[in-house]
Amino acid sequence: MDEKYFAKKVEAKWQKKWAESGAFAVTDDTSRPKFYQLEMLPYPSGNLHMGHVRNYSVGDALAWFKRLKGFNVLHPIGWDSFGQPAEDAAVKRGVNPRDWTEDNIVAMRGQLKRLGLSYDWTREIAAHRPEYYKWDQWFFLKMFERGLAYKKKTQVNWCENDQATLSNEQASGGLCWRCGNPVTKKELEQWFLKTTAYADQLLDDLKIIESGWPVHVIKRQRDWIGRSEGALLDFKIVGSDQSVRIFTTRIDTIYGASSIVLAPEHPIVLANRRKFAPEVVEKIDHIIVEKAKPVEHDAEIEKDGVDTGLRATNPFSGEDLPVWVGNYVMMDYGTGAVMSVPAHDERDFEFAKRFGLPVRQVISEPHMVHEHNSVHALALEAPLTEYGVLVHSDVWSGKASEDAKREMTAFAQKQGFGEAATTYRLRDWGISRQRFWGSPIPIVYCDGCGTVPVPIDKLPVELPENAPITGTGESPLAKVEEFVQTTCPQCSAPASRETDTMDTFVDSSWYFFRYLDPKNSEEAFGPEKAAYWTPVDQYIGGDDHAVMHLIYARFWTKVMRDLGLVAFGEPFDRLLTQGMVVGETFYDDSTGKRKYFPPNQVEVERDAKGRIISAKGVDGSDLKFAIERMSKSKGNGVDPDEMVDIYGADASRMFVLFAAPVDNELVWQEAGIEGAVRFLQRVWRLVYKWREVLVPILSQERKDPATSIAGSAAAKKLLQKTHQTIKRVDEALTTLQFNTPIAALMEFTNAIYESQLEPASSNDAEKAAMSEAISCLVRMLTPFAPHTAEELYSFITGSDSGMIADGARFPEFNSDLAAADEIEIAVQVNGKLRSRVFAAPSASNEEIERLALADMKISENIAGKHILKVIVVPGRLVNVVVRG
Ligand code: ANZ
Ligand code: ZN
């Protein structure tokens, strides 16, 4: 054993050993309990960033922990390797997207390996390879067969900047998920997957996973699906046989409706266009144009609209209402038509104020009913959107909203002018992309036969070697003659292929199943493998995927269940979302624009806690500072390679885990990682110091240390701390905490040093206790610093053959050894016995004083009095002297 800890040497040695022995390559051993540990797979951009390092360090800690707990752990990795950056590189630098991608994978694989992550590399997958995307196509065809994949012409979300189509999820909040630019609309023929067919299940099944997922992710999924229960009601257009169907969640407010408002694209608008006055037509067109314009994130759009001149009859009151077109009514929600009730709806209220439409209150707070019934409708300052009691509503007056909703819906149904209905915010998933670097959609268009699926035995439809990529929005594949021209699978006539490719989110919707059986050329995966390994036990990733990827993957799994491939509908039992990695930035904004300075060009003054007091540039100018998301352009990026090179993989990973609770932001500070190095050195020195004692004891048949400690207080105390630590580390990791177990190990290491035992002067009991303590420490270190743990373990067990990775176990907790024997301490106030507290024999005077003052009886006793002094007689009593 080296006297000093050389991270590089140790890490290289164990990475080689693990690789040679296939330590993390698992088999489908159904006799053993399994654990499927999954982290979101990276996009091969060419460089790992610290977000990856955090994600994968957390995942690896859990994988190791579960291995130590005796599970057969599947811990795979792969590449989400289709997508736009490869095409951008092609446009900018003329490289082939395939070469660019493969090169990046090589580079990043190397980075992951240098971090020593315990992946089963035999299962590595990459989405851009035909043996993978063949199965994207297979799933697509299965969905096509079942009517779950269909084509329609629609307005799609379009990003001008990326020249790309976006799904609703990717355009959430009106901004492109990739570049953050405002989203516009464009009319295109698109393939859709019918996610809405699973809307209810996607919502209801949240109950199954709720306990294992972050609350905020569950909420975002629920809001995204957006189920609303309400009613559809028909309003007859006066003087015609047409009627407008509206969707409302508040039928109880119908007597307060003052107009019908239609989306500008509504069929009734189109059908009556010729009847409208020219200014009306002009206004409607203006609204349509305005709606297609990009909107700033969260910007309040001013309500706009126009009275069409049509009138429609309220089926409950018989009143004729004006029919308007309004910019706030969406064609793709509900029916694209609403009954506008200004008194009880925010948007309708604003609309009515703008255009002077009547505001009639028909719902009242229970205690105001009497007043509202006698005095007619009060002028409202703001809409009353809560449920209440109906007023001015004919025979329905006096009913509570909840009852009225139910009864009025039933009435409408009976009368034949309405029905109960549920709508969803969720839309079908548009997957067509006018891109080269994606999985081709396996469809052929034939003049005679129409839209024809490629037969399954003809898959994969392979991407050509290359295509003219311009980055300007048309499908590159359309310009590759050999690709486009084909024959119809049904009639053999000349035909052409679909030239759009699939959204890359298709690839990541099911990749975790492919890891189970990555080389299977007959099936996406063997169902018996899925029966053993899936669902995924623990998934870890960033919460930027809370709605996109996690909705798609849940949808895909439900489809797979309906195809008979798996027996469950929820792919991820537990989900953990790690916080962002952020770093200090230094900048000058005196010119109006922020100019960032790299930290090596800044002089920083800090307080004792490491917080920045001031920062100056090299020229002595004052700089401002902030904490921001890591990025190269802000000069606060940290290169994982450099970090590993300087400090080692173990220290780097350990720091990342230790620096903050896993779901919080992690503020990068170089000083912190040095602390991790010092800790590993401390553990190393401990083992080195005891090397001659440990090796013979641990390599013999282990004696139960509990039987041999009698007679040594030091040994007893050491074992007590050992087992208290085992409990803490075990519980912390079980509850997905990664910083607290490291703190516990640091404290434990300190306690071992503080025992002041020395190899030369220790008796057998003390040697046994020390051996036990160190053996436990080393094994518990594995999830955080696996290389160092392996090296120390191989040393203390006296053999290089039995690695921790071969099946070493997490230390067994012994509650008898952990139990603290406490002593009773009497607490007096002014010399009179008032209470008793319990403390560890080792408790300091300050701790005892704190315990005494925190005691309920004592604090009651001295409430309002002034403490003059507190006398502590160690191990026996406390006397609190008070006045007043
Ligand atoms: C009358 C009413 C009165 C409404 C009232 C609300 C409050 P959620 O819950 O989000 O589903 N609505 C229906 N279709 C719409 C569309 N295409 N564009 C814009 N708004 C639309 O919202 C359902 C409510 O949103 C519906 O109930 C309708 O307004 C409006 F005091 O009808 B309500
Ligand atoms: Zn044909």
Side-chain angles (χ1 to χ4, degrees):
M1 183 187 185
D2 290 331
E3 185 178 351
K4 289 236 161 61
Y5 168 56
F6 296 113
K8 271 217 177 100
K9 181 173 165 192
V10 170
E11 289 172 7
K13 170 179 167 186
W14 287 97
Q15 285 169 17
K16 186 152 169 275
K17 272 188 181 289
W18 289 328
E20 281 168 1
S21 68
F24 311 119
V26 283
T27 54
D28 313 340
D29 181 354
T30 53
S31 69
R32 291 179 59 200
K34 66 91 185 182
F35 192 88
Y36 188 170
Q37 169 58 47
L38 181 71
E39 295 106 62
M40 291 183 184
L41 85 178
Y43 176 78
S45 60
N47 279 299
L48 281 190
H49 55 65
M50 289 307 296
H52 291 127
V53 175
R54 190 175 196 191
N55 189 176
Y56 303 143
S57 298
V58 172
D60 210 48
L62 275 180
W64 272 110
F65 177 57
K66 292 295 175 178
R67 264 179 222 123
L68 287 165
K69 284 289 195 175
F71 288 89
N72 191 21
V73 175
L74 174 58
H75 189 212
I77 191 76
W79 308 98
D80 191 13
S81 46
F82 268 142
Q84 193 176 338
E87 280 183 54
D88 292 345
V91 173
K92 267 193 227 128
R93 282 178 274 147
V95 291
N96 181 303
R98 189 175 281 103
D99 298 341
W100 184 85
T101 303
E102 289 289 354
D103 289 350
N104 287 348
I105 289 178
V106 170
M108 288 174 75
R109 190 193 290 126
Q111 290 185 298
L112 291 177
K113 289 197 169 176
R114 280 193 291 287
L115 280 166
L117 299 160
S118 63
Y119 292 125
D120 180 350
W121 286 101
T122 65
R123 296 171 185 263
E124 183 182 355
I125 56 169
H128 72 286
R129 304 208 178 116
E131 62 271 24
Y132 183 87
Y133 68 70
K134 170 180 178 175
W135 302 105
D136 289 339
Q137 297 172 347
W138 183 85
F139 281 117
F140 177 90
L141 293 174
K142 288 286 159 192
M143 291 195 207
F144 182 78
E145 269 172 29
R146 305 188 150 225
L148 291 171
Y150 67 95
K151 196 173 193 190
K152 75 170 180 213
K153 188 165 190 139
T154 56
Q155 283 218 325
V156 297
N157 300 302
W158 176 256
C159 175
E160 233 359 273
N161 181 57
D162 290 332
Q163 291 285 314
T165 316
L166 304 168
S167 69
N168 282 345
E169 287 80 359
Q170 294 161 349
S172 168
L175 299 179
C176 171
W177 71 284
R178 198 183 291 112
C179 72
N181 278 296
V183 174
T184 56
K185 300 277 181 190
K186 187 168 169 173
E187 184 105 330
L188 279 178
E189 281 241 62
Q190 296 276 291
W191 282 96
F192 285 86
L193 300 183
K194 218 180 232 170
T195 43
T196 54
Y198 288 86
D200 278 322
Q201 289 182 35
L202 286 168
L203 192 69
D204 296 338
D205 289 357
L206 289 174
K207 282 191 214 77
I208 300 172
I209 49 178
E210 205 160 36
S211 63
W213 282 42
V215 177
H216 73 279
V217 177
I218 295 283
K219 179 173 183 330
R220 285 194 58 198
Q221 294 243 332
R222 193 166 278 139
D223 292 348
W224 189 259
I225 298 160
R227 180 161 68 194
S228 287
E229 320 264 356
L232 293 166
L233 296 172
D234 295 322
F235 285 61
K236 280 217 165 66
I237 303 277
V238 178
S240 94
D241 53 5
Q242 299 166 357
S243 62
V244 194
R245 180 153 261 228
I246 61 111
F247 172 70
T248 180
T249 48
R250 294 295 304 273
I251 191 174
D252 57 313
T253 66
I254 195 164
Y255 284 84
S258 58
S259 65
I260 292 293
V261 185
L262 307 176
E265 311 88 350
H266 195 281
I268 296 272
V269 178
L270 295 179
N272 292 285
R273 209 176 151 88
R274 268 178 291 124
K275 286 191 225 150
F276 297 158
E279 344 47 284
V280 172
V281 172
E282 202 177 301
K283 184 75 188 198
I284 292 170
D285 289 344
H286 172 75
I287 292 174
I288 293 177
V289 171
E290 287 295 311
K291 271 181 88 168
K293 284 194 182 154
V295 277
E296 278 298 318
H297 191 43
D298 285 341
E300 260 303 320
I301 306 160
E302 218 200 325
K303 301 275 175 303
D304 199 2
V306 62
D307 186 347
T308 63
L310 297 173
R311 300 182 75 73
T313 311
N314 182 332
F316 273 85
S317 68
E319 183 186 10
D320 288 345
L321 304 175
V323 177
W324 284 64
V325 164
N327 67 344
Y328 69 103
V329 180
M330 267 98 55
M331 193 56 228
D332 63 356
Y333 187 68
T335 61
V338 306
M339 64 175 195
S340 177
V341 185
H344 303 291
D345 181 84
E346 295 280 355
R347 290 165 304 175
D348 296 343
F349 187 80
E350 270 179 56
F351 193 70
K353 284 277 161 208
R354 169 101 207 268
F355 295 107
L357 296 166
V359 179
R360 284 184 315 207
Q361 182 174 355
V362 293
I363 303 289
S364 170
E365 293 113 319
H367 66 279
M368 300 284 282
V369 171
H370 181 70
E371 197 171 334
H372 286 163
N373 262 335
S374 48
V375 186
H376 197 71
L378 303 177
L380 286 168
E381 295 278 323
L384 218 97
T385 59
E386 304 291 299
Y387 282 176
V389 176
L390 276 65
V391 292
H392 303 301
S393 297
D394 202 351
V395 299
W396 310 96
S397 292
K399 286 196 188 290
S401 290
E402 290 90 338
D403 298 333
K405 280 179 67 170
R406 207 176 44 248
E407 294 171 24
M408 292 171 89
T409 306
F411 177 76
Q413 190 140 7
K414 215 158 130 216
Q415 299 296 309
F417 61 76
E419 62 191 280
T422 305
T423 60
Y424 301 86
R425 214 152 279 285
L426 184 74
R427 291 283 160 269
D428 284 339
W429 174 16
I431 58 156
S432 297
R433 294 292 178 276
Q434 296 70 53
R435 291 277 160 201
F436 170 66
W437 201 229
S439 174
I441 296 173
I443 289 288
V444 167
Y445 300 105
C446 165
D447 285 342
C449 313
T451 302
V452 184
V454 173
I456 282 182
D457 63 357
K458 292 285 181 332
L459 297 183
V461 176
E462 278 202 49
L463 277 178
E465 262 312 297
N466 218 331
I469 301 170
T470 59
T472 53
E474 62 278 306
S475 302
L477 290 178
K479 292 176 221 148
V480 183
E481 279 296 298
E482 320 82 81
F483 177 84
V484 178
Q485 285 177 10
T486 182
T487 51
C488 171
Q490 274 169 24
C491 72
S492 301
S496 58
R497 287 190 192 280
E498 167 67 56
T499 57
D500 283 352
T501 54
M502 296 183 202
D503 182 359
T504 61
F505 278 83
V506 167
D507 309 314
S508 53
S509 293
W510 65 277
Y511 74 100
F512 44 96
F513 288 103
R514 187 66 181 169
Y515 285 138
L516 313 182
D517 206 0
K519 299 188 177 71
N520 193 335
S521 57
E522 304 300 314
E523 301 162 294
F525 56 88
E528 73 296 344
K529 292 180 185 292
Y532 175 57
W533 287 113
T534 51
V536 170
D537 293 276
Q538 179 70 57
Y539 198 19
I540 307 178
D543 62 7
D544 35 341
H545 292 295
V547 286
M548 292 188 277
H549 163 58
L550 291 172
I551 291 264
Y552 301 142
R554 294 181 61 224
F555 159 73
W556 211 277
T557 304
K558 290 177 196 303
V559 173
M560 285 173 43
R561 178 204 52 205
D562 293 349
L563 290 170
L565 298 175
V566 295
F568 52 84
E570 284 299 332
F572 313 121
D573 269 356
R574 303 223 288 172
L575 172 72
L576 176 67
T577 51
Q578 92 268 6
M580 266 199 305
V581 183
V582 297
E584 295 169 345
T585 54
F586 304 95
Y587 61 93
D588 172 24
D589 60 1
S590 54
T591 59
K593 216 182 147 185
R594 277 193 186 189
K595 181 171 171 259
Y596 287 97
F597 286 70
N600 59 6
Q601 288 174 31
V602 183
E603 261 184 49
V604 186
E605 195 190 332
R606 295 180 186 275
D607 68 10
K609 285 194 168 157
R611 284 175 302 218
I612 307 172
I613 299 170
S614 72
K616 285 190 193 313
V618 273
D619 57 352
S621 62
D622 280 332
L623 296 181
K624 295 192 171 163
F625 46 89
I627 302 277
E628 295 180 86
R629 187 184 191 139
M630 275 197 171
S631 92
K632 271 203 196 108
S633 62
K634 291 179 183 154
N636 68 346
V638 173
D639 176 10
D641 272 343
E642 224 170 82
M643 185 179 73
V644 169
D645 204 44
I646 301 172
Y647 303 103
D650 280 353
S652 303
R653 292 169 49 170
M654 194 151 193
F655 167 66
V656 163
L657 295 173
F658 180 62
V662 63
D663 41 8
N664 289 15
E665 274 192 348
L666 188 166
V667 184
W668 184 261
Q669 277 190 338
E670 200 85 10
I673 195 167
E674 283 157 13
V677 176
R678 279 197 301 276
F679 170 62
L680 292 174
Q681 285 168 338
R682 235 166 119 67
V683 175
W684 188 278
R685 280 203 306 276
L686 194 63
V687 176
Y688 185 78
K689 175 175 164 181
W690 287 87
R691 63 195 181 281
E692 272 152 20
V693 173
L694 301 177
V695 176
I697 293 184
L698 286 171
S699 46
Q700 284 161 24
E701 263 308 289
R702 283 268 282 287
K703 282 181 250 142
D704 180 2
T707 58
S708 60
I709 55 169
S712 168
K716 190 168 177 211
K717 203 171 147 192
L718 190 56
L719 283 181
Q720 187 180 60
K721 188 73 187 173
T722 304
H723 285 271
Q724 287 169 350
T725 307
I726 294 171
K727 183 156 191 266
R728 280 176 67 186
V729 174
D730 194 332
E731 284 178 356
L733 286 171
T734 304
T735 54
L736 305 180
Q737 298 174 57
F738 302 89
N739 57 334
T740 52
I742 295 174
L745 291 180
M746 290 177 171
E747 197 184 303
F748 180 34
T749 306
N750 289 344
I752 299 176
Y753 274 100
E754 282 158 16
S755 74
Q756 307 209 332
L757 293 171
E758 290 297 328
S761 57
S762 293
N763 62 28
D764 280 355
E766 289 159 352
K767 286 176 181 169
M770 184 58 77
S771 301
E772 174 77 358
I774 291 180
S775 154
C776 291
L777 172 63
V778 166
R779 277 174 290 156
M780 287 191 286
L781 195 61
T782 318
F784 317 106
H787 307 86
T788 312
E790 283 280 21
E791 180 68 13
L792 295 175
Y793 184 79
S794 76
F795 181 77
I796 63 180
T797 54
S799 86
D800 265 25
S801 57
M803 304 188 282
I804 297 179
D806 282 342
R809 285 287 186 272
F810 197 82
E812 285 289 338
F813 171 63
N814 180 325
S815 59
D816 291 339
L817 291 175
D821 24 23
E822 290 180 317
I823 46 171
E824 189 181 311
I825 294 171
V827 187
Q828 304 174 333
V829 176
N830 289 346
K832 285 210 184 81
L833 180 67
R834 296 291 181 196
S835 188
R836 288 168 208 286
V837 294
F838 293 86
S842 60
S844 66
N845 283 5
E846 291 77 38
E847 273 173 72
I848 293 171
E849 181 179 330
R850 217 179 311 121
L851 280 172
L853 294 177
D855 183 77
M856 282 285 278
K857 285 201 208 114
I858 298 302
S859 58
E860 273 169 25
N861 218 282
I862 62 176
K865 294 178 185 153
H866 183 67
I867 299 176
L868 294 175
K869 63 180 168 190
V870 181
I871 302 156
V872 179
V873 182
R876 288 198 32 222
L877 91 118
V878 180
N879 185 12
V880 186
V881 183
V882 296
R883 188 186 61 201

